[in-house]
Structure formats: C-alpha cells, structure tokens
Amino acid sequence: MQIQAPRGTRDVLPADSFRWQYLESKMRQAAALAGYREVRTPVFEHTELFLRGVGDTTDIVQKEMYTFKDKGDRSITLKPEGTAGAARCFLEHNLYAEALPCKMYYLDAPIFRYENPQSGRLREHHQFGLECFGAQEATADAELILLAYHLLEELGIRNLKVKINSIGCPKCRPAYHRTLKDYLADRLDGLCEDCRERFDRNPLRALDCKERKCRELTKDAPSMLDLLCDECRAHFEELKGCLDSAGIPYTVDSRIVRGLDYYTKTVFELITETKDGSLTVCGGGRYDNLVGEIGGPSLPAVGFGMGLERVLMLLEGEGITLPEPRWYDIFITYMGSHRADAFRLVQALRAEGIRADLDHCGRSLKAQFKYANKTGAPLTGVIGDEEAAAGAVKIKNMATGEEQTVTAQDAPALIRQIIQ
Ligand code: ATP
Ligand code: MG
C-alpha cells in the first residue's frame, strides 16, 4: 500500500513553492523595516514550557498538543505556537541583559496542533511571528498591528478588519473575572462542556468559544473595557491614538480575548470575510507575564502570529497571482552523440549565472523540444552535428521564432542580451 502524508498536513510542491518564497521575502522585508531580526528555535521543546507558558486551561494545551515521550523518557512537545519558544530562547541566552527592546521574528515556523482538519485548519501549519521583548509602551503594540495590516494590504488582501481589545492586567482582571462569572453563572447550563469546565479558572474563554450556543449566551456579557484600571485604560487609549493617527480602520471588540492564558492588556486579530465565513489570519497581543511565568524577570512583551497557509488561501480566494520566477532561461537540446557538448555548455552557462538545463532522460531530439517548450524557457539551444563540429549552438527565441548560431564562448552574452 502506498503511504500517504498524515491527515492535516500539506506538501508544498516544487511548482508552488515560489508562492511561499514570495510571501517570505515580503515578510522579511516588513520585519526588517521595523528592526526585527530573525530567530530560529527548535521544532520541539520540553512540554513543561507550554504548560507554564501557554497555560493549562487553553484549547492548545488541553486538546491540541503533539506530546510524546522520547527515548530518554522526557516529555517532548512539538511547538503548538511560536511565542513560548521565542521567550524561552530570549531567557536562556540572557538577551534581556542586552539593550532592550529585543525584537525578533520567526518565519515559516512549523506549528503542530491536533485539530479537526478542515478548510484553513491544519495539523501542521506555518507561522510568521514577531515578538518584541522589553517594550511596555503602546507604540510597540501599535507598530505590530500596523506591520501586519500593511503587509497583508500590500499583498493585495482586501476587506481586512482589525479588531482590538484590552483584557487588562493582574490588577484589574480579577474584578472582571468575578463580574463575568456572575453573569455566566446564571447561564452555565447553556454553555458547552469546555466553557463549563473552564468557568472557574478561565471564564474569559467563554467569550472566545466557537460554539454557537456559547456565542449567543455571551452576546451581552459585561466588557472588560468598563473595568480596566487606570494604567490599562491609558495604555489602550494610547494604542487607539496610534492607530487613529496611522489612519487604519479598526474596531474595538470586547469579545476578542484570544485563546492563550499569557495575554495582558492588548489583544488583536486581523480578520477577513471569505465565502466560508470569517477567517482570522493574524492574532496577537501583549504578554507582560509570560517571561516571568517561565522563570525569567518580570518583563513586558508583545507579539503576533500570522498563519502562512491562511494568507495563501486568502490570496487564492481573491484571485491574486503572485509573480512566478522563470524556471529556465534556456533549455539546451542535442543530438544523442553530442550529450557531452551539451553538458559542457550548460555548465558554462550556469557558471555565468544563466538558468540552463539539458535532457537527462534519453529523449529524442523531438521529445527534447517538446519538453523544453513545456518548461516555458524563453530560449532553446540546439546542438546538432553542424553546431558540434563548429563548437557552436543554435539559439532559438521561442517567442519570435528567430534563430542565431553562436560559438559556445559567445553564447552567454547573446543569451543575456535576449532575455533582458
Ligand atoms: P483559531 O481561532 O482560528 O483556532 P487560534 O486563536 O488558535 O486561531 P493563534 O494561536 O492565534 O490561532 O495562531 C495565529 C494564527 O495562526 C491564526 O490567526 C491563523 O492564521 C493561524 N492558525 C492557527 N491555527 C491554525 C491551523 N490549525 N491551521 C492553519 N492555520 C492556523
Ligand atoms: Mg485554534
């Protein structure tokens, strides 16, 4: 029996990888413009990191982690999100002792979640994420929201909605927890099992639940925004001011709470409407307690994660084509006895930076031509008896049909001249 890829995973085929590379280059540019440098952390971490960092009342930790014992009987978990690993790295290398903030991004980080696979929901997906450690001011939150917004806008994604909220801090959130619990207590029987279970420790989760009945029952729930302490309120006002001055459309939505325990103050999501409903492409927020939670100094931080598969899905849905690089500049065809000449010529062209190839599959000259055509190479070279005897190659411009014979030595200059 043929072995297939595990459910919820996706291959990126050679013919499609340019889309990823295009996104990656845009993402790198956007991050670099704002002073973020790349970090690369392992695909797996000690399970403990996520239990402490992400929190044991979250969907991720309760249901979605790929956790296993390695041969040394250690509990290992494949990264279910990017922030905890970045924070662990930040701490382990004492980066907090250097000049702050420490701005870092990760790209294409594989993220593993045991989810029910469906459109836009995979068991392995990839994220572009930014983390800014050591910055407490709302300008840091705002720059991240703007970076994500402008990046997606530049890629051509329309109808982007930015939703922001503040979920307060350890000073003001307990009072809100109580208020929300009072509200939910009367409605507990109508909530889903998960929300009932988390009611005590994490009542906020009910606002984020995807179950219809929970959404309806919490429609008029009290808002954290009414109970923010002075510090959190001022922070949120400054964030709004920054977004206003940047002129991007956003809405305050008190239901955005994000699924993860580590958030404080700002939370945000970038959402678009698709034919299958709304889709969150990017989610993030401030996590002033995370670094302390995993054993470091108390240090503010803010970040976001953006799903690459979802970005690609949106681009496809909107019919946006990304620039596809040319596969070959020239494909050299040859008569069987001149394979060695063709090989040498291809090597010489590549050495000059020209994308060239020849047949490796024993095709007839006619079949080589057909194949060359299929590759979309703008030029085809021919080495027949005459050309071989003269140390030359006949170059055909596939668009105009024009042919020119040149020596192998002069070939690179001519090819470059035609394709430019
Ligand atoms: P959702 O509410 O859709 O489950 P989430 O809150 O679990 O999202 P985050 O943890 O914020 O998602 O992850 C950041 C981003 O990663 C999401 O906005 C989304 O673009 C992407 N993402 C999350 N889970 C998946 C998945 N299972 N498959 C593909 N992309 C995902
Ligand atoms: Mg999720």
Side-chain angles (χ1 to χ4, degrees):
M1 202 180 58
Q2 202 179 323
I3 298 170
Q4 299 192 324
R7 212 162 107 74
T9 66
R10 276 232 210 116
D11 297 313
V12 178
L13 302 181
D16 291 326
S17 51
F18 74 91
R19 288 179 232 281
W20 287 76
Q21 290 167 352
Y22 181 80
L23 277 196
E24 287 156 16
S25 72
K26 291 290 176 191
M27 288 168 168
R28 283 188 195 285
Q29 273 168 22
L33 262 181
Y36 288 78
R37 291 178 297 176
E38 187 178 3
V39 65
R40 301 188 188 196
T41 65
V43 166
F44 57 87
E45 296 271 1
H46 292 294
T47 303
E48 179 70 15
L49 175 69
F50 304 113
L51 297 184
R52 275 164 51 187
V54 180
D56 55 6
T57 63
T58 60
D59 271 353
I60 289 183
V61 169
Q62 286 187 341
K63 301 189 220 159
E64 298 173 356
M65 293 206 304
Y66 275 87
T67 297
F68 57 94
K69 284 278 175 73
D70 71 4
K71 291 193 199 308
D73 210 31
R74 285 169 288 256
S75 181
I76 294 293
T77 295
L78 303 182
K79 246 189 313 209
E81 55 89 61
T83 300
R88 196 264 315 136
C89 165
F90 171 75
L91 267 185
E92 188 165 336
H93 300 278
N94 299 326
L95 301 185
Y96 54 85
E98 296 173 11
L100 294 175
C102 175
K103 292 176 155 191
M104 55 173 83
Y105 75 91
Y106 47 85
L107 186 59
D108 272 348
I111 304 289
F112 302 89
R113 296 183 186 176
Y114 196 79
E115 302 224 50
N116 203 3
Q118 48 189 293
S119 166
R121 204 167 283 287
L122 296 161
R123 289 188 175 166
E124 183 198 33
H125 74 275
H126 298 81
Q127 287 189 13
F128 167 52
L130 279 80
E131 318 287 354
C132 180
F133 293 99
Q136 82 239 22
E137 304 301 345
T139 42
D141 312 39
E143 82 170 14
L144 285 170
I145 296 174
L146 291 170
L147 191 154
Y149 181 84
H150 288 136
L151 171 67
L152 294 170
E153 193 186 40
E154 194 194 325
L155 288 169
I157 295 173
R158 306 271 160 255
N159 309 317
L160 266 180
K161 283 190 195 144
V162 180
K163 294 191 175 180
I164 63 168
N165 189 24
S166 174
I167 56 170
C169 68
K171 265 187 292 177
C172 50
R173 205 181 313 155
Y176 177 62
H177 266 203
R178 284 194 297 276
T179 311
L180 182 61
K181 271 163 107 171
D182 286 344
Y183 173 88
L184 292 176
D186 298 334
R187 296 161 176 82
L188 210 53
D189 292 342
L191 295 177
C192 74
E193 200 185 317
D194 281 343
C195 288
R196 283 204 305 270
E197 222 167 77
R198 293 168 191 160
F199 167 74
D200 239 354
R201 292 181 53 210
N202 194 357
L204 241 63
R205 287 290 287 110
L207 300 176
D208 188 41
C209 186
K210 291 181 182 75
E211 295 276 339
R212 246 236 328 269
K213 54 185 178 185
C214 299
R215 300 202 74 84
E216 253 154 41
L217 276 176
T218 55
K219 219 169 46 210
D220 304 314
S223 162
M224 176 73 226
L225 296 174
D226 297 328
L227 293 169
L228 291 179
C229 62
D230 289 344
E231 185 192 323
C232 287
R233 182 180 311 282
H235 196 271
F236 195 53
E237 288 307 316
E238 188 176 350
L239 169 66
K240 288 193 287 182
C242 292
L243 298 181
D244 286 334
S245 73
I248 67 156
Y250 69 90
T251 51
V252 176
D253 183 342
S254 62
R255 298 187 61 106
I256 301 283
V257 294
R258 313 280 306 125
L260 285 58
D261 280 2
Y262 51 58
Y263 286 110
T264 50
K265 293 191 173 126
T266 311
V267 285
F268 63 89
E269 290 189 359
L270 275 71
I271 301 170
T272 62
E273 295 305 327
T274 69
K275 60 178 186 344
D276 306 318
S278 58
L279 189 76
T280 304
V281 254
C282 175
R286 176 164 281 285
Y287 44 91
D288 291 349
N289 297 323
L290 173 65
V291 178
E293 198 69 44
I294 62 172
S298 164
L299 189 130
V302 55
F304 74 64
M306 182 183 286
L308 272 92
E309 283 87 352
R310 290 202 189 167
V311 175
L312 286 165
M313 207 173 118
L314 288 174
L315 291 173
E316 203 168 302
E318 300 206 10
I320 296 165
T321 51
L322 301 179
E324 184 171 358
R326 189 153 59 217
W327 187 4
Y328 290 126
D329 298 320
I330 187 164
F331 195 89
I332 305 295
T333 65
Y334 56 91
M335 269 162 58
S337 49
H338 307 309
R339 183 178 303 126
D341 296 304
F343 179 77
R344 267 197 306 277
L345 177 61
V346 164
Q347 291 302 318
L349 294 178
R350 289 181 187 169
E352 294 280 332
I354 291 167
R355 299 173 179 210
D357 212 347
L358 76 158
D359 179 62
H360 298 291
C361 303
R363 288 186 178 86
S364 69
L365 192 57
K366 198 172 147 208
Q368 290 179 39
F369 251 119
K370 225 166 123 185
Y371 179 78
N373 225 347
K374 230 196 254 173
T375 67
L379 302 177
T380 305
V382 187
I383 302 180
D385 290 337
E386 246 173 71
E387 288 83 9
V393 54
K394 185 160 74 188
I395 292 172
K396 180 171 177 185
N397 184 329
M398 302 302 278
T400 62
E402 208 177 313
E403 293 181 344
Q404 257 174 291
T405 301
V406 283
T407 62
Q409 242 170 1
D410 292 337
L414 178 68
I415 292 168
R416 221 176 281 117
Q417 187 197 328
I418 305 175
I419 59 178
Q420 265 160 17

